[in-house]
Amino acid sequence: MCTLEKRGDLFHLTLTGDDEHRFHPDTITSVLSLLEQAKSQSTKGSVLITTGHGKFFSNGFDLAWAQSAGHGAIERMHQMVKSFKPVLAALLDLPMPTIAALNGHAAASGLMFALSHDYVFMRKDRGVLYMSEVDIGLPVPDYFSALVVAKVGSGIARRELLLSGKKLKGEDAVALGIVDSAAHDSAEGVVEATVSLGESLAAKKWNGEVYASIRRSLYPELCRMLELTVNNLATHNL
């Protein structure tokens, strides 16, 4: 499902396999466990890079698993929405810079997972961003909306992301200010670019707890939704 590898100062979290990397409850548990592992092993200069294998970064929640429950489908959807919230909280609270290297498509909760990183890089040759909820008739969880408001500065960009059903390619996502870069011709190229950024950030040897505290202070409403304390760093640690 996913792996965590530490190479020097860089943690590499990888969604493995050539499937759609949908967030099934087991996948959610696995990702959360690896984020907690990275946090416990973090030192000054640590950086997290998240990517995936194959065509998809992540295509969202495991809707087929929910629908297989028949009349219990809505309950299963609520279960995934609830259990996914701590994953985004863990990323917002991680004591290190975080970078998403999108190897392919990122949709719905998969896109929210990407946007929870500090930096997002896309390929220019493949991959779209797609919030499918308006097309398939599912409400957007409140903390998803709070994340988009926090991370996407333009009202026009938020409309294009949530209310249009558009599949945004890298060039369009950069123009709308949703991602940082889409100048890479392959999955390997986007990972190489994020490793280069990660190494430059790692060289600064920042205090991770201070970094996380500043990050939380940037997004007070999102932190409230994710049940994170905006600033719980004692002043004597500064």
Side-chain angles (χ1 to χ4, degrees):
M1 274 184 287
C2 51
T3 61
L4 183 70
E5 181 183 358
K6 191 172 188 292
R7 305 174 199 164
D9 289 319
L10 307 186
F11 289 94
H12 292 259
L13 175 62
T14 305
L15 304 174
T16 58
D18 291 326
D19 59 10
E20 296 183 4
H21 305 142
R22 286 189 176 268
F23 285 108
H24 178 277
D26 292 342
T27 312
I28 293 170
T29 298
S30 181
V31 170
L32 186 57
S33 175
L34 292 181
L35 290 175
E36 291 171 349
Q37 181 181 330
K39 183 176 183 178
S40 69
Q41 296 177 7
S42 65
T43 59
K44 283 188 176 181
S46 290
V47 176
L48 176 78
I49 295 173
T50 302
T51 191
H53 291 158
K55 182 179 178 180
F56 291 88
F57 177 74
S58 172
N59 207 22
F61 287 135
D62 191 342
L63 300 183
W65 173 78
Q67 291 164 354
S68 70
H71 294 302
I74 293 177
E75 182 179 345
R76 283 191 171 184
M77 280 299 301
H78 288 163
Q79 176 187 343
M80 289 189 289
V81 169
K82 182 178 180 180
S83 64
F84 192 64
K85 184 187 287 191
V87 173
L88 303 193
L91 280 166
L92 267 291
D93 200 40
L94 204 64
M96 63 187 77
T98 58
I99 311 168
L102 304 192
N103 54 294
H105 307 308
S109 60
L111 175 51
M112 296 298 97
F113 182 58
L115 287 182
S116 296
H117 292 71
D118 299 322
Y119 302 87
V120 183
F121 282 31
M122 290 181 70
R123 296 166 60 167
K124 70 178 179 181
D125 65 322
R126 174 181 289 183
V128 297
L129 308 183
Y130 176 42
M131 289 301 290
S132 57
E133 286 82 354
V134 70
D135 283 335
I136 63 178
L138 287 176
V140 173
D142 56 1
Y143 67 94
F144 281 19
S145 298
L147 176 63
V148 171
V149 169
K151 291 299 191 84
V152 181
S154 161
I156 291 175
R158 294 195 290 267
R159 181 197 67 202
E160 293 296 275
L161 195 62
L162 290 178
L163 294 175
S164 74
K166 289 182 179 178
K167 296 178 180 178
L168 299 172
K169 294 183 177 180
E171 182 179 343
D172 297 324
V174 171
L176 288 168
I178 299 170
V179 305
D180 298 280
S181 173
H184 320 290
D185 291 319
S186 64
E188 294 78 15
V190 76
V191 170
E192 287 172 6
T194 56
V195 167
S196 178
L197 173 60
E199 289 174 343
S200 69
L201 294 172
K204 298 180 183 296
K205 297 297 180 184
W206 286 326
N207 181 311
E209 294 299 330
V210 171
Y211 185 91
S213 176
I214 295 171
R215 182 200 287 127
R216 292 192 303 271
S217 73
L218 288 175
Y219 312 120
E221 178 60 20
L222 175 59
C223 286
R224 185 186 69 79
M225 285 279 188
L226 297 177
E227 300 175 12
L228 286 172
T229 302
V230 172
N231 191 346
N232 60 3
L233 186 66
T235 54
H236 62 75
N237 288 332
L238 298 178

